[in-house]
């Protein structure tokens, strides 16, 4: 039962353009969502998060959008840089009850071409 | 400030054996979570320890067990290894069960 799904295994964009990574979830009890970035041979690193009471959160080049009715969130990276090339994981939590126990999607490999 | 460290980096075992993986949490962190990441998949939550007590468990059988020590470092033990246990095992620490997690680089376990 895959409660968090990232349907695009890979995405390739040109440097300077926008990268949009998508994530869908099925568990309506999820109330907190996070994006992590992972380079090879390293653990995932936290990028940005959003609470279910918001529909947008911005941090520099990274913006996360949440559409609760569609159970969909997306991560926008503008402008994309070659150093952004990594695997991006969407994660969700029933934060109020379970805290930081996370359910992850399968990941999307982002490649930013110079 | 030292980040989350895990040992060993790589490990090869055979079916039926037992394995112990270790995690040193970041300084000041009292919560450790363990995740299993199979090839091509996202990390799956195994269990979490908070101040030496188990604080939640994912859908893993009892042969996956853990410990947290007074210095908040942690061990993951897996008994009766199966081929499907081959994965990257990630440890994450945080300063509480509701705070941001910092991940270690993982231990790559191969079961032959």
């Amino acid at each position: 039962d895959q409660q968090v799904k990232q349907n695009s295994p890979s995405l390739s964009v040109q440097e300077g353009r926008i990268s949009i990574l998508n994530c869908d979830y099925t568990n309506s009890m999820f109330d907190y969502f996070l994006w992590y970035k992972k380079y090879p041979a390293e653990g995932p690193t936290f990028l940005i998060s959003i609470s279910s009471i918001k529909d947008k959160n911005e941090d520099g080049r990274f913006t996360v959008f949440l559409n609760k009715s569609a159970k969909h969130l997306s991560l926008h990276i503008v402008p994309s840089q070659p150093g952004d090339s990594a695997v991006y994981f969407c994660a969700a939590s029933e934060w109020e009850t379970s805290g930081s126990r996370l359910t992850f999607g399968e990941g999307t490999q982002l490649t930013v071409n110079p | 400030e030292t980040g989350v460290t895990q040992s060993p980096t790589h490990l090869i075992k055979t079916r039926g054996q037992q394995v112990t993986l270790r995690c040193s949490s970041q300084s000041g962190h009292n919560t450790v979570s363990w995740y299993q990441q199979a090839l091509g998949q996202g990390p799956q939550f195994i269990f979490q320890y908070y101040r030496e007590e188990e604080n939640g468990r994912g859908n893993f059988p009892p042969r996956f067990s853990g410990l947290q020590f007074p210095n908040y470092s942690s061990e993951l033990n897996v008994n009766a290894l199966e081929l499907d246990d081959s994965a990257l095992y990630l440890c994450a620490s945080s300063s509480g069960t509701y705070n941001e997690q910092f991940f270690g680089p993982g231990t790559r376990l191969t079961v032959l």
Side-chain angles (χ1 to χ4, degrees):
Chain A
D1 174 25
Q2 190 70 24
Q3 297 187 65
V4 177
K5 285 194 69 63
Q6 294 176 254
N7 290 314
S8 299
S10 63
L11 175 67
S12 183
V13 300
Q14 285 300 120
E15 181 179 5
R17 306 295 289 270
I18 184 171
S19 295
I20 300 176
L21 296 98
N22 294 303
C23 177
D24 297 295
Y25 63 96
T26 57
N27 185 347
S28 58
M29 299 301 291
F30 287 146
D31 54 11
Y32 196 67
F33 304 88
L34 309 90
W35 285 93
Y36 283 82
K37 178 169 73 172
K38 187 179 186 303
Y39 294 117
E42 295 182 13
T45 55
F46 170 76
L47 260 183
I48 192 169
S49 62
I50 188 167
S51 163
S52 59
I53 62 173
K54 295 187 174 183
D55 55 18
K56 177 182 174 181
N57 188 26
E58 197 170 350
D59 183 2
R61 297 186 297 115
F62 302 92
T63 303
V64 56
F65 295 92
L66 175 63
N67 183 333
K68 279 179 60 181
S69 61
K71 294 191 176 69
H72 177 84
L73 63 155
S74 61
L75 174 67
H76 292 209
I77 307 173
V78 183
S80 301
Q81 300 173 353
D84 295 330
S85 297
V87 177
Y88 288 77
F89 291 102
C90 167
S93 168
E94 298 178 41
W95 198 264
E96 286 290 317
T97 54
S98 304
S100 55
R101 287 174 248 164
L102 302 178
T103 300
F104 282 85
E106 307 94 325
T108 297
Q109 172 71 57
L110 173 65
T111 302
V112 181
N113 302 301
Chain B
E1 185 180 274
T2 308
V4 179
T5 60
Q6 294 185 242
S7 62
T9 306
H10 296 89
L11 201 51
I12 299 175
K13 292 284 189 178
T14 57
R15 268 188 307 175
Q17 284 190 310
Q18 178 266 342
V19 70
T20 297
L21 310 182
R22 294 179 174 83
C23 172
S24 290
S25 56
Q26 191 164 311
S27 176
H29 287 184
N30 55 19
T31 305
V32 171
S33 301
W34 286 92
Y35 293 83
Q36 179 196 66
Q37 186 183 3
L39 199 61
Q41 301 295 316
Q44 270 198 290
F45 175 74
I46 303 174
F47 41 57
Q48 182 181 82
Y49 280 84
Y50 171 66
R51 293 186 174 182
E52 303 179 60
E53 298 285 331
E54 187 178 289
N55 180 49
R57 187 180 182 93
N59 189 25
F60 280 82
R63 58 189 185 83
F64 285 77
S65 63
L67 276 176
Q68 187 177 33
F69 299 99
N71 66 355
Y72 302 130
S73 66
S74 178
E75 284 183 357
L76 163 65
N77 298 291
V78 187
N79 293 323
L81 282 167
E82 300 177 0
L83 297 179
D84 285 350
D85 295 334
S86 296
L88 179 68
Y89 288 85
L90 294 163
C91 163
S93 76
S94 58
S95 56
T97 58
Y98 287 86
N99 295 338
E100 180 187 340
Q101 295 181 91
F102 295 83
F103 283 83
T107 293
R108 171 72 62 187
L109 172 65
T110 301
V111 182
L112 301 176

